[in-house]
Amino acid sequence: MQKTLVITGQGNLKVTPDLVIISFPVECRHGSYAKAIDKLNVAVTQLRTAIESSGLDPMELKTTDFRVQTETRWNKQSEKHEFDSFKARHDLKIELPMDAKLINNVIARLSCLGQNLDFRINFGVKDKESCLESLIQGAVSNAIKKAKIIAAASGITLKDILNINYSFKNIYFQSETSLEYQNDFVAEAQYSMPEISPSDIELNEPITITWSIES
C-alpha cells in the first residue's frame, strides 16, 4: 500500500480597501402589479439620473437582485391573511474609487431626489484576481513548508505530489466597515461620508496537497 502525507496549507492575506461600493434597495408598493413595476421603474430612473448628474456613467449602476412579492394583511373578521399589495424591489449597486470628494458629491445628489431612499456604503478591493492568486500561492507555499517540516521531523522522504485539492469558494472581498444611510438622513444635503479609515480586508483560502512518501 502506498504511503502518503496529506497536508492542508492556508493562504492568508490582508488588503487595504481601494473601492467604495454603494448599494441601493429600491422598493415600491401598489395594489396593481403593473403599477408597482411602473413606480419602481420611475424610482430607478430617478436614481440613475442622480448618479449621472454627479458626473458618473449611469450604466455603472448594476442590478444585483430584482423581485416582486405579494404582501398580505390579517383580517380579524375572517381570521385570514388577505392580499394587501405587490411589493416590487430592485437592488442596485455602483462601485467607485476611494475618493471622498466624489462620494460626497454622489450623496449630495441623492439627497435631492425627494423620495425615501436608503443605501449602504461598503469598502472592497478592485483587483480581486490578484488577491486570489496571492492567496493560492500562499496556501501552496504554506502546505509545502508544513510538509517539509513534518518530513524532516519524522524521518520520511517526500516523493511525488499525487493530488492537489482546491475547492473554490466564494470569497468575501469586503471590509467589515460599513456605513448605512437611512432616508431621514439622506434628505439632509449636508450629510456626507465621514473621514474614516475602513478596516483591512482579511482573506484566507485552504489548499490540500497529497504527497507519496518513503520511510
Side-chain angles (χ1 to χ4, degrees), residues 18-36:
D18 61 0
L19 194 68
V20 175
I21 306 161
I22 309 181
S23 303
F24 305 91
V26 184
E27 288 185 354
C28 290
R29 292 174 173 81
H30 200 279
S32 162
Y33 178 92
K35 290 183 178 180

Side-chain angles (χ1 to χ4, degrees), residues 88-105:
R89 174 165 173 152
H90 194 163
D91 291 343
L92 305 103
K93 74 172 183 178
I94 189 168
E95 297 183 349
L96 306 172
M98 189 76 74
D99 183 332
K101 183 177 179 180
L102 174 62
I103 304 306
N104 289 336
N105 184 33

Side-chain angles (χ1 to χ4, degrees), residues 7-213:
I7 298 293
T8 297
Q10 190 75 27
N12 299 293
L13 187 67
K14 275 191 176 184
V15 185
T16 300
D18 61 0
L19 194 68
V20 175
I21 306 161
I22 309 181
S23 303
F24 305 91
V26 184
E27 288 185 354
C28 290
R29 292 174 173 81
H30 200 279
S32 162
Y33 178 92
K35 290 183 178 180
I37 297 296
D38 287 343
K39 286 180 64 178
L40 184 65
N41 289 338
V42 169
V44 171
T45 298
Q46 291 176 342
L47 177 58
R48 291 192 188 280
T49 300
I51 293 297
E52 186 174 21
S53 67
S54 64
L56 299 169
D57 182 355
M59 298 311 296
E60 291 299 314
L61 191 63
K62 304 296 185 182
T63 297
T64 58
D65 191 25
F66 177 87
R67 59 186 179 275
V68 181
Q69 297 173 312
T70 57
E71 294 198 317
T72 61
R73 63 175 181 271
W74 180 252
N75 187 319
K76 291 183 179 179
Q77 293 182 341
S78 64
E79 295 186 344
K80 294 181 180 180
H81 287 285
E82 298 179 348
F83 172 79
D84 180 67
S85 62
F86 290 100
K87 181 176 74 172
R89 174 165 173 152
H90 194 163
D91 291 343
L92 305 103
K93 74 172 183 178
I94 189 168
E95 297 183 349
L96 306 172
M98 189 76 74
D99 183 332
K101 183 177 179 180
L102 174 62
I103 304 306
N104 289 336
N105 184 33
V106 172
I107 293 174
R109 297 293 180 177
L110 294 174
S111 70
C112 299
L113 287 178
Q115 66 181 54
N116 290 337
L117 179 66
D118 298 342
F119 61 90
R120 176 183 292 274
I121 296 178
N122 293 97
F123 303 90
V125 59
K126 186 175 182 179
D127 191 358
K128 299 178 181 63
E129 189 65 30
S130 177
C131 291
L132 184 57
E133 288 178 5
S134 295
L135 279 173
I136 293 173
Q137 291 170 358
V140 171
S141 296
N142 182 249
I144 293 173
K145 181 179 179 180
K146 289 178 179 177
K148 288 180 178 179
I149 292 172
I150 292 173
S154 58
I156 61 175
T157 302
L158 296 175
K159 304 296 287 184
D160 297 330
I161 292 178
L162 302 176
N163 183 58
I164 298 178
N165 186 1
Y166 173 59
S167 300
F168 179 79
K169 64 178 182 179
N170 291 326
I171 301 177
Y172 195 59
F173 288 95
Q174 285 192 13
S175 167
E176 292 183 355
T177 303
S178 66
L179 302 175
E180 187 170 344
Y181 287 74
Q182 297 180 341
N183 54 61
D184 293 341
F185 297 103
V186 177
E188 301 295 333
Q190 71 267 26
Y191 280 87
S192 59
M193 189 174 77
E195 294 293 333
I196 64 172
S197 297
S199 62
D200 287 341
I201 302 168
E202 297 188 12
L203 306 169
N204 59 80
E205 190 76 345
I207 289 181
T208 300
I209 302 178
T210 303
W211 280 267
S212 63
I213 60 173

